[in-house]
Amino acid sequence: MVDKALGGAGLRGQVAGQTALCTVGQSGSGLTYYGYDISELAAVAEFEEVAYLLAHGELPNAGQLAEYKARLKQLRKLPQALKDVLERIPASAHPMDVMRTGCSMLGNLETEADFGEADQHIERMLALFPAIVVYWYRFSHDGVRVETDTDDDSIGAHFLHMLHDKKPSPLHEKVMHASLILYAEHEFNASTFTARVCASTLSDIHSCVTGAIGSLRGPLHGGANEAAMELIETMQNPDEAEQTLLGMLERKEKIMGFGHAVYREKDPRNAIIKQWSEKLAAEFGDSRLYDVSVRCEEVMWREKKLFCNADFFHASAYHFMGIPTKLFTPIFVMSRVTGWTAHVKEQRANNRIIRPSADYTGPAPRPVPPIAER
Ligand SMILES: CC(=O)SCCNC(=O)CCNC(=O)[C@H](O)C(C)(C)COP(=O)(O)OP(=O)(O)OC[C@H]1O[C@@H](n2cnc3c(N)ncnc32)[C@H](O)[C@@H]1OP(=O)(O)O
Ligand SMILES: O=C([O-])CC(=O)C(=O)O
């Protein structure tokens, strides 16, 4: 059924399948994973608990969580052939292209031969994605071959440790847990739908995830956190932010990090990451980017009734933790791989190839003219 308020373009408002994983905006603005509200998950859980939930349908108990984390830790070592490929990618490459190539190469080295192996490949991708992007980044930018099998307790801490050559503070580790939880799953968004379409052809799990990474890369989707950072860093203070935004709106430019295809009033992830950004700004000792972001939020709501989506305050939060802007969207990948792969398994469990129809708008039938007459 087409939701008239949303219209049919971009398949908006049309039901394209079923899922037990997630609800988006069902009560206007809520977000749940397997029935659990993300606000509660982000407040009390570690990201690995949510990754387990999405993989197995239930939250782990303490023993299951410890086993799961221990397994993930053991999977952090990059195969030499993958390191060789990463070392050949230039520093000028976009890290999302590195993620795409890294995932694809992993599929060549550790191919999913049978769908029964899916869980082991999913755990390997989850464990290895931070290493793929940081190994390339540190090698191409600093000339360092970073050690990827760290003993960090969590994926977020592992990522920050490799990036900065030191273990992160408890605050930064906690923010990474919350951030990765917020990004983990979001129903039939563009990248997840890409993964499901690929899965519906009975393709392998690395192909599904590689395609999804390509869809997430665009600035209308995951790439918006990076684009938001590029915008706010040009703003010296809230008044300047206001003038910049008013000019952009006047010129009908899109402001990345605002608006949403499903939510109408607010994105429930925003308030959570905004709070963390405020805390990080205080720790950082310079709240310019936070203050500028708050003014952007006020102006966009006042002028256009557009609200911050999950990406906007992620920009300042990641920046305060010393994460280079171009690594923002790869963090989204490290998290969303849990949602993508859960959808792949769900699609496989009740599959029919996804193949919609199109309304034809081309020329009426006509004969092929001889080449000399064209
Ligand atoms: C984690 C995520 O992937 S969240 C999404 C991240 N993406 C972004 O932040 C990119 C910026 N936002 C956008 O481009 C859009 O809001 C999308 C892609 C998220 C949703 O697109 P749609 O569903 O087509 O948006 P929607 O139908 O609500 O747009 C309504 C109007 O608001 C405008 N609008 C929507 N978002 C914005 C924005 N960020 N800046 C300026 N105008 C906007 C649209 O241009 C449209 O105007 P029009 O009616 O004159 O054409
Ligand atoms: O649902 C969407 O269209 C985009 C989004 O917020 C996400 O994927 O997290």
Side-chain angles (χ1 to χ4, degrees), residues 5-7 9-10 12 182-183 186 189-191 215-216 218-225 227-228 248-249 252-264 267 269 300 304-312 314 332 336:
L6 296 169
R12 195 73 73 260
L182 296 180
Y183 272 148
H186 219 245
N189 60 84
S191 57
S215 289
L216 188 70
L220 295 190
H221 192 9
N225 54 16
M248 289 176 77
L249 289 175
K252 303 222 172 300
E253 289 173 27
K254 275 243 163 118
I255 292 126
M256 300 308 172
F258 285 88
H260 200 272
V262 180
Y263 299 122
R264 296 290 97 192
D267 180 332
R269 299 167 294 185
M300 290 296 281
K304 289 276 167 194
K305 293 287 169 282
L306 282 168
F307 50 86
C308 296
N309 58 46
D311 282 325
F312 194 69
H314 259 108
F332 200 152
R336 187 57 63 86

Side-chain angles (χ1 to χ4, degrees), residues 203-279:
S203 189
D204 67 289
I205 194 109
H206 296 93
S207 294
C208 298
V209 173
T210 303
I213 293 171
S215 289
L216 188 70
R217 184 192 196 292
L220 295 190
H221 192 9
N225 54 16
E226 182 180 332
M229 184 66 212
E230 281 160 8
L231 176 67
I232 59 172
E233 70 188 347
T234 65
M235 301 165 166
Q236 296 314 311
N237 56 58
D239 288 343
E240 191 185 318
E242 177 145 0
Q243 290 315 310
T244 304
L245 286 197
L246 291 175
M248 289 176 77
L249 289 175
E250 173 105 25
R251 294 188 298 277
K252 303 222 172 300
E253 289 173 27
K254 275 243 163 118
I255 292 126
M256 300 308 172
F258 285 88
H260 200 272
V262 180
Y263 299 122
R264 296 290 97 192
E265 290 158 19
K266 64 177 180 182
D267 180 332
R269 299 167 294 185
N270 177 52
I272 301 168
I273 194 62
K274 182 180 172 186
Q275 269 180 8
W276 284 117
S277 175
E278 187 176 15
K279 282 202 176 70

Side-chain angles (χ1 to χ4, degrees), residues 15-33:
V15 173
Q18 294 185 324
T19 185
L21 285 159
C22 173
T23 63
V24 173
Q26 285 221 331
S27 51
S29 59
L31 171 59
T32 63
Y33 301 162

Side-chain angles (χ1 to χ4, degrees), residues 21-312:
L21 285 159
C22 173
T23 63
V24 173
Q26 285 221 331
S27 51
S29 59
L31 171 59
T32 63
Y33 301 162
Y34 275 120
Y36 296 111
D37 195 286
I38 51 106
S39 313
E40 213 178 330
L41 288 172
V44 302
E46 296 184 358
F47 169 60
E48 284 74 4
E49 293 174 68
V50 170
Y52 185 100
L53 169 70
L54 292 172
H56 302 289
E58 292 297 342
L59 286 165
N61 63 30
Q64 288 166 329
L65 180 63
E67 260 178 46
Y68 182 60
K69 283 165 60 169
R71 262 203 321 277
L72 291 176
K73 262 190 210 181
Q74 281 167 7
L75 294 170
R76 286 178 181 166
K77 211 172 165 56
L78 282 167
Q80 187 57 45
L82 182 45
K83 286 187 187 171
D84 293 344
V85 166
L86 294 171
E87 289 186 15
R88 283 166 181 256
I89 303 178
S92 58
H94 193 284
M96 284 297 280
D97 297 342
V98 176
M99 294 300 280
R100 195 190 58 219
T101 298
C103 179
S104 180
M105 181 64 185
L106 187 65
N108 284 291
L109 299 172
E110 301 175 11
T111 310
E112 185 190 34
D114 182 288
F115 290 171
E117 295 173 359
D119 283 341
Q120 91 194 37
H121 292 288
I122 293 167
E123 289 185 1
R124 179 72 159 149
M125 285 189 272
L126 186 57
L128 219 50
F129 278 1
I132 287 177
V133 72
V134 179
Y135 186 88
W136 164 79
Y137 183 82
R138 297 294 313 277
F139 183 79
S140 61
H141 289 65
D142 306 334
V144 171
R145 288 191 168 91
V146 80
E147 198 46 72
T148 67
D149 49 348
T150 74
D151 65 350
D152 296 293
D153 185 61
S154 67
I155 288 168
H158 171 55
F159 168 73
L160 291 176
H161 187 175
M162 289 185 293
L163 185 63
H164 295 139
D165 265 340
K166 63 174 197 295
K167 283 187 179 288
S169 66
L171 172 64
H172 291 191
E173 183 168 12
K174 174 70 196 150
V175 178
M176 286 304 293
H177 276 302
S179 165
L180 294 171
I181 288 172
L182 296 180
Y183 272 148
E185 161 56 13
H186 219 245
E187 201 221 34
F188 277 23
N189 60 84
S191 57
T192 300
F193 199 58
T194 303
R196 282 193 84 127
V197 170
C198 188
S200 82
T201 71
L202 301 183
S203 189
D204 67 289
I205 194 109
H206 296 93
S207 294
C208 298
V209 173
T210 303
I213 293 171
S215 289
L216 188 70
R217 184 192 196 292
L220 295 190
H221 192 9
N225 54 16
E226 182 180 332
M229 184 66 212
E230 281 160 8
L231 176 67
I232 59 172
E233 70 188 347
T234 65
M235 301 165 166
Q236 296 314 311
N237 56 58
D239 288 343
E240 191 185 318
E242 177 145 0
Q243 290 315 310
T244 304
L245 286 197
L246 291 175
M248 289 176 77
L249 289 175
E250 173 105 25
R251 294 188 298 277
K252 303 222 172 300
E253 289 173 27
K254 275 243 163 118
I255 292 126
M256 300 308 172
F258 285 88
H260 200 272
V262 180
Y263 299 122
R264 296 290 97 192
E265 290 158 19
K266 64 177 180 182
D267 180 332
R269 299 167 294 185
N270 177 52
I272 301 168
I273 194 62
K274 182 180 172 186
Q275 269 180 8
W276 284 117
S277 175
E278 187 176 15
K279 282 202 176 70
L280 289 166
E283 182 212 46
F284 190 71
D286 176 0
S287 66
R288 174 179 69 95
L289 286 176
Y290 178 77
D291 297 340
V292 153
S293 301
V294 170
R295 182 69 72 87
C296 289
E297 184 178 32
E298 288 165 6
V299 171
M300 290 296 281
W301 185 253
R302 188 187 73 213
E303 298 294 321
K304 289 276 167 194
K305 293 287 169 282
L306 282 168
F307 50 86
C308 296
N309 58 46
D311 282 325
F312 194 69

